[in-house]
Amino acid sequence: MEIKIDLNRNTNISLSKQIYQSIADRISSGLLEKGSRLPSVRSLSKALNVSMVTVSKAYSKLADDHIISTIQGKGTYVQTEKAMNHNDHNTDSTSLNWQLSIPDHLPRAQFWWQNISLTTKSQIWLSAASVHSSLLPEHLISRHISSFILKNPGILSEYGPVQGDLEFRSAIADYLISSGNSIFKNEIIITNGSQQAINLVARTFIGAGDIVVMEAPTYTAAIDVFRWQGATILSVPVDKDGMRIDLLLRLCDTYTPKLIYTIPTYHNPTGTVMSMQRRKELIEIAKDFNCFIVEDDPWREISFEKNPLPALKSMDTDGHVIYIKGFSKFLSPGCRIGTLAASGTILNRLIAAKSNSDLGSPLLTQKALLPFVQLDFMKKHLKSMNHILYNRRNLILKLLKKHMPEAVEWSSPMGGPNIWLTLPSWLSAESLVFEAQNNNIAFLTGSTCYSSEPEFNHIRLSFSSLDQEQLENGIITLSKIVFSFIDKKNAENSPII
């Protein structure tokens, strides 16, 4: 089997660690399945033009972490618990084995793996950071779409502008200005969700070996995209006030980042909010090191406080911030509407990338959602939705306090859909996954939210996609599972009398 690994020889990260991370990413996201045979040390060292010692170090670390195993005289194979327990979608046919000889350029696909592996058997999706359909204006949107098509059938034969429908961009700009962002309609690109916006930025500006700084932990699918472009990702930890700017500055003194990706408001997955002081310092770092910031702002609308801190984009006077905002999550996930805002030549290059990507987002979707992104509707809709989600957040916090072991800690976010759970350091969230699935529960393991050196004792719980009964059943059952693992550990450590 061939494995395509792009090594960056102009970084302080050792080649053996880069090889280790690339293979581990592919295995953890299911691109290398259980039982897959890895290249021999000799053949991989030749393919990568590195010493056999370098590859041996990587393989030894993978084996020490129980990710691969070597069978004497037969070779080295993928042997992870995750792969062994998530093989339902595989084919038993050997007629397709020739495909293993075709190398790909996918370094990891954690988001894909989460969707097919963690949720297919579960009825209580604590893993889904989405809003329950009952809280969305789906009936209003469906009636408007039907009426609009009947009145304007010609819309089905029209292509929209690459940058997006002007009327729709104007409504988006008005909405963003009302929330304190100085963004104009000519600075906005309409995208197929915020994920495409991230992808456009990465494909336009990031190439093999470019330095991308991300928070640790961070949004899983963003890691996938930047890794796909061959970026060298460097991580900066998050605390209660957001990204550690002191550590970022220290890192920038050694490396020169091209891009800093951040979720400063109701951070995914931790729910933290970057302080105002750190926002100002981050803008100054972008100026000093001549790099740009990608501000992902997916959850500002789900807010349990009166005035969330202003977006970085509203503080940017020199075009260093690219702003990404998704509207699908709190309006209509099926419509896949997102926006990307930038200025200067960065905007022009992103519009060119959008044209190469899909020639423009569907015009019908933009016209259909136009009344629903306008300010009057949004105010009423968000007020109603947030009242219910505030109660759901309080419910899950109450349930955790009542049912979770004392050794477990969790966040109390002021916005967003997620609770960040921290288990005892010795308890890996991965070890709970299969027992949870047996009880029809899915959650997101925190390790998938790290680009490197993951912490395994975290869980992201999402409360926005479940009703009250599901939340209660899910948290009570999950708490019992955690209790059983802790009790088992305590029994093992108890002295025999």
Side-chain angles (χ1 to χ4, degrees), residues 374-386:
Q374 292 173 346
L375 192 55
D376 289 342
F377 177 85
M378 286 289 281
K379 281 184 176 179
K380 294 177 182 177
H381 167 58
L382 294 176
K383 182 179 180 180
S384 173
M385 181 183 70
N386 282 335

Side-chain angles (χ1 to χ4, degrees), residues 100-402:
L100 296 175
S101 66
I102 307 298
D104 62 63
H105 293 264
L106 280 170
R108 58 173 261 168
Q110 297 283 14
F111 189 77
W112 163 75
W113 189 248
Q114 292 163 23
N115 277 269
I116 66 168
S117 300
L118 291 180
T119 61
T120 50
K121 297 180 181 179
S122 301
Q123 296 174 358
I124 301 177
W125 290 13
L126 289 164
S127 58
S130 56
V131 176
H132 194 276
S133 60
S134 65
L135 305 181
L136 300 176
E138 53 184 24
H139 296 298
L140 291 174
I141 292 175
S142 64
R143 286 200 296 268
H144 177 71
I145 290 176
S146 299
S147 174
F148 183 81
I149 291 176
L150 288 174
K151 293 178 181 178
N152 304 275
I155 195 74
L156 299 175
S157 60
E158 291 184 42
Y159 286 101
V162 171
Q163 191 172 349
D165 177 66
L166 180 59
E167 189 178 16
F168 190 69
R169 285 189 283 123
S170 296
I172 293 289
D174 289 342
Y175 170 72
L176 293 176
I177 289 172
S178 73
S179 61
N181 252 322
S182 300
I183 296 175
F184 303 101
K185 60 187 177 183
N186 61 339
E187 297 177 318
I188 291 173
I189 303 172
I190 304 302
T191 61
N192 299 322
S194 57
Q195 186 63 27
Q196 188 194 38
I198 297 170
N199 192 40
L200 287 176
V201 172
R203 291 177 61 189
T204 304
F205 296 106
I206 301 301
D210 284 337
I211 302 293
V212 171
V213 176
M214 305 184 78
E215 290 151 331
T218 191
Y219 173 45
T220 298
I223 302 173
D224 295 350
V225 168
F226 289 120
R227 189 80 81 196
W228 192 6
Q229 289 301 116
T232 297
I233 299 177
L234 302 178
S235 299
V236 176
V238 171
D239 65 15
K240 64 181 181 63
D241 292 319
M243 180 188 285
R244 287 278 306 276
I245 301 299
D246 57 328
L247 298 181
L248 171 64
L249 187 58
R250 193 181 308 169
L251 184 150
C252 290
D253 287 336
T254 304
Y255 304 93
T256 302
K258 191 170 188 180
L259 180 156
I260 301 170
Y261 174 86
T262 180
I263 310 171
T265 304
Y266 310 137
H267 176 260
N268 182 9
T270 67
T272 58
V273 176
M274 184 183 291
S275 68
M276 192 63 183
Q277 180 61 34
R278 290 189 184 181
R279 291 173 190 243
K280 294 176 181 178
E281 292 171 350
L282 182 56
I283 294 287
E284 291 304 313
I285 286 176
K287 293 179 181 180
D288 291 344
F289 290 92
N290 199 34
C291 63
F292 60 92
I293 299 165
V294 174
E295 178 182 15
D296 197 355
D297 194 16
W299 294 116
R300 176 177 294 272
E301 281 66 24
I302 298 182
S303 179
F304 313 132
E305 52 188 341
K306 289 186 177 180
N307 296 305
L309 288 176
L312 293 168
K313 182 64 177 173
S314 69
M315 303 162 61
D316 176 34
T317 58
D318 301 297
H320 284 277
V321 178
I322 298 174
Y323 181 77
I324 293 174
K325 158 63 67 182
F327 286 81
S328 304
K329 293 182 186 298
F330 53 87
L331 280 179
S332 175
C335 287
R336 303 299 298 134
I337 284 290
T339 58
L340 189 161
S343 55
T345 63
I346 284 180
L347 173 67
N348 295 333
R349 285 179 274 180
L350 288 169
I351 295 172
K354 173 68 173 172
S355 68
N356 289 341
S357 175
D358 62 7
L359 303 180
S361 296
L363 183 59
L364 172 60
T365 306
Q366 297 171 64
K367 292 296 189 183
L369 285 186
L370 179 59
F372 304 97
V373 299
Q374 292 173 346
L375 192 55
D376 289 342
F377 177 85
M378 286 289 281
K379 281 184 176 179
K380 294 177 182 177
H381 167 58
L382 294 176
K383 182 179 180 180
S384 173
M385 181 183 70
N386 282 335
H387 174 72
I388 296 172
L389 291 179
Y390 176 69
N391 291 332
R392 298 271 168 87
R393 185 211 65 166
N394 290 346
L395 174 61
I396 194 172
L397 292 175
K398 180 180 178 181
L399 291 167
L400 289 170
K401 184 176 181 179
K402 182 176 181 180

